[in-house]
Each structure stands twice: as C-alpha cells, then as structure tokens.
Amino acid sequence: MTVALMWEARAAEGRGEELLAWAREQRLAGEPLRREFFRAPKDRVLVITWWDAALDAELPELPEPDGELVTRAVHRWRFESVGRD
C-alpha cells in the first residue's frame, strides 16, 4: 500500500522562501519513495511524501518549524492510495 503524508505550513509574512528552504533541509529518519515541495500564495509551503506502508504505520514526519517562522501550527494529513486512472 502507498501512503501519502501531507505537511502544510504558513510562513510569517514575507518569509515563504525561508520556510521552503527550511523544509527542504529537513532530513527524515527514513527515505520516502518520493518527496515533493509546493508553494502557494500567502507564503504557504506544502510537502508531500510517499511511503510504501500501511495507513496507520509509524512514519517519520517533518517537525514543527520555529514559532517565529510560521503564523500557525502545521497542518498534517495522511492519505492512502486507491489507485491511478
């Protein structure tokens, strides 16, 4: 089964590039099948990692950034793949 972990944070105003760089520097305890980075308006950063694991498996996740770098707590979601078209 493939599981996707989504991590999304909103940077303090004007610090989106710094948050993106911070996210790219983070190393995980394991190596995902794939990792992608996204950015959006309002200095938001999204990281998705894909894992060959069960939905409820213990998987390494990105930590919370320094409180001054973000405007709120990180949002996290976990999804299981249901196939491709």
Side-chain angles (χ1 to χ4, degrees), residues 7-28:
W7 178 99
E8 185 266 339
R10 184 169 177 192
E13 188 172 337
R15 296 182 72 182
E17 289 300 319
E18 185 179 348
L19 178 60
L20 179 59
W22 177 91
R24 286 177 182 247
E25 292 170 0
Q26 301 307 301
R27 297 293 162 242
L28 299 171

Side-chain angles (χ1 to χ4, degrees), residues 33-82:
L33 299 171
R34 182 171 154 200
R35 185 186 327 202
E36 281 193 65
F37 300 88
F38 301 84
R39 63 176 156 209
K42 299 185 181 177
D43 291 317
R44 289 178 292 150
V45 172
L46 172 69
V47 181
I48 304 174
T49 56
W50 284 264
W51 303 86
D52 183 16
L55 184 62
D56 60 353
E58 290 235 3
L59 296 169
E61 297 195 39
L62 290 174
E64 293 277 335
D66 176 43
E68 293 182 11
L69 184 56
V70 294
T71 60
R72 58 167 167 74
V74 168
H75 292 168
R76 301 169 194 273
W77 301 275
R78 185 177 284 226
F79 296 90
E80 65 181 330
S81 176
V82 293

